Amino acid sequence: MPLTDAQWARIEPLLPDRTPRRGGRWRDHREVIDAIAWKFQTGSQWIHLPEKYGNWRGVYNRLRMWAIDGTWERVLTTLVAQADAEEDLNWAVSVDSTVVRAHQHAAGARKKCPYGFGQAAAVGAGS
């Protein structure tokens, strides 16, 4: 689902300049964000990105570059702060007290001797 105009108006000022460091022209940021959203909403592989979003490598590289340079963190932090200031967030805390027991072998229990002697064979050998 593409970004609405209202969503784009909030995100656009938080994104880096559209001029690439080297080489040609960048695809529009809005199209790239729509492509990233499509990928994660569908769970599809990058290579199956529809042609309307352009080359999947370009979209993936922009996603990765924005993760490295802190763009995504800055966008998330700013949007959460804005939503909190407008009282648009419901801060609900949920605590789950369920206990799940692990199997004895997964929990690091002592292993029996493969010959069936147990711990007695190891103790008897040392005395």
Side-chain angles (χ1 to χ4, degrees):
M1 170 163 60
L3 289 172
T4 65
D5 290 338
Q7 291 169 330
W8 178 243
R10 286 182 169 220
I11 293 173
E12 185 180 23
L14 306 172
L15 299 174
D17 194 14
R18 289 187 194 194
T19 309
R21 291 184 191 155
R22 353 169 261 239
R25 257 178 80 232
W26 264 11
R27 179 170 285 284
D28 184 51
H29 286 334
R30 187 172 183 169
E31 291 176 14
V32 171
I33 290 176
D34 286 343
I36 293 167
W38 179 90
K39 192 267 189 241
F40 288 106
Q41 286 174 348
T42 63
S44 187
Q45 296 177 342
W46 281 110
I47 199 159
H48 298 300
L49 192 71
E51 288 182 23
K52 70 179 182 178
Y53 294 121
N55 186 329
W56 70 268
R57 285 183 185 95
V59 175
Y60 171 77
N61 287 337
R62 186 99 50 102
L63 169 72
R64 192 167 172 271
M65 182 175 54
W66 285 352
I68 291 169
D69 72 8
T71 298
W72 291 119
E73 186 175 349
R74 184 174 56 254
V75 168
L76 178 65
T77 304
T78 304
L79 292 177
V80 168
Q82 287 174 357
D84 194 29
E86 296 169 6
E87 297 182 2
D88 247 355
L89 288 180
N90 181 8
W91 293 100
V93 177
S94 176
V95 178
D96 184 3
S97 64
T98 304
V99 175
V100 178
R101 300 249 180 231
H103 187 271
Q104 65 182 1
H105 297 300
R110 290 184 184 231
K111 311 259 187 290
K112 290 187 179 178
C113 177
Y115 304 109
F117 299 126
Q119 297 298 323
V123 173
S127 10

